[in-house]
Amino acid sequence: TAGITQAPTSQILAAGRSMTLRCTQDMRHNAMYWYRQDLGLGLRLIHYSNTAGTTGKGEVPDGYSVSRANTDDFPLTLASAVPSQTSVYFCASSDSSNTEAFFGQGTRLTVV
Amino acid sequence: KNQVEQSPQSLIILEGKNCTLQCNYTVSPFSNLRWYKQDTGRGPVSLTIMTFSENTKSNGRYTATLDADTKQSSLHITASQLSDSASYICVVTLETGRRALTFGSGTRLQVQP
């Protein structure tokens, strides 16, 4: 079972360019999340989706957008990247009971 | 503002020794508390999960405790192994409509031979 998969694993992106981070899960989980992890800080929630067709803003949503066209996929888009978006991004999913959250392996993004 | 604070920030111990990591939280209303292990370059993996009515939960050499009155949790690692070297993250779930996860910044543990 693949679980939850992110792509790419890492990326160097020029400031001002756009990029979409991909996240796919095969566990049929309703809820999906995007977090960023920066040195010395906990994982911070960017956006979330409780179910297909719905999304919501987390703690640090500015500069990011998401969509949830189906249950399996939850892409994160940076419309115009800035250096402060250099971070490691984690996608996660959980079932309706939210008793367990599963994380992808992360995407290391460097904006230069 | 809901917060989860962990201590120490980092810890070095010798292989075979025990250690205890601390987590204090102010998240309210509280649903559950989890401890995750995050190896370098990997995503977090769940170790234990406890609801407010549970005060201890074990997973092999890992034992988590919870005091919901004082809003404190600890993770005790017994007979540490080199493979225990990782970051350990305390995560508290809000009992709200979207059940957001609030993460601590983690304790970086290094086990030396």
Side-chain angles (χ1 to χ4, degrees):
Chain A
T1 301
I4 185 162
T5 304
Q6 294 182 230
T9 303
S10 64
Q11 182 74 45
I12 298 174
L13 185 67
R17 299 297 293 269
S18 66
M19 179 179 181
T20 296
L21 281 63
R22 300 184 298 278
C23 177
T24 300
Q25 53 102 0
D26 62 3
M27 297 173 283
R28 307 302 294 173
H29 285 167
N30 285 325
M32 296 187 75
Y33 313 86
W34 273 106
Y35 294 88
R36 60 178 289 172
Q37 186 176 37
D38 302 293
L39 190 64
L41 299 175
L43 282 91
R44 293 181 291 168
L45 181 65
I46 304 171
H47 285 286
Y48 66 94
S49 170
N50 286 331
T51 188
T54 68
T55 63
K57 294 182 179 180
E59 182 183 355
V60 288
D62 294 342
Y64 307 94
S65 64
V66 292
S67 62
R68 188 84 184 279
N70 56 64
T71 297
D72 298 345
D73 301 301
F74 190 43
L76 176 74
T77 298
L78 288 69
S80 179
V82 295
S84 62
Q85 292 177 309
T86 294
S87 187
V88 181
Y89 292 85
F90 287 98
C91 180
S93 71
S94 64
D95 60 21
S96 299
S97 64
N98 203 29
T99 56
E100 179 66 77
F102 296 86
F103 286 82
Q105 79 278 19
T107 294
R108 181 175 295 276
L109 178 66
T110 302
V111 182
V112 297
Chain B
K1 182 181 173 91
N2 296 320
Q3 283 192 325
V4 178
E5 297 185 352
Q6 293 186 241
S7 61
Q9 286 189 330
S10 62
L11 182 63
I12 300 174
I13 62 173
L14 294 176
E15 185 178 13
K17 298 296 185 181
N18 304 334
C19 67
T20 300
L21 315 180
Q22 301 291 341
C23 175
N24 297 334
Y25 63 93
T26 59
V27 170
S28 180
F30 167 85
S31 175
N32 60 60
L33 185 145
R34 319 165 196 222
W35 282 92
Y36 280 83
K37 179 186 180 185
Q38 185 177 20
D39 293 312
T40 301
R42 307 292 295 274
V45 176
S46 179
L47 291 175
T48 64
I49 180 169
M50 293 179 290
T51 65
F52 71 91
S53 62
E54 298 177 289
N55 56 25
T56 187
K57 183 71 71 74
S58 291
N59 179 1
R61 294 180 296 103
Y62 301 100
T63 299
T65 65
L66 173 65
D67 186 335
D69 292 331
T70 62
K71 298 186 176 181
Q72 295 179 326
S73 177
S74 65
L75 180 69
H76 185 75
I77 304 175
T78 304
S80 62
Q81 301 176 358
L82 298 179
S83 60
D84 292 332
S85 295
S87 290
Y88 291 85
I89 304 172
C90 176
V91 184
V92 181
T93 303
L94 280 167
E95 184 58 69
T96 65
R98 63 180 173 91
R99 296 194 173 183
L101 306 178
T102 305
F103 288 79
S105 57
T107 292
R108 177 67 191 172
L109 175 66
Q110 184 177 351
V111 181
Q112 293 183 340

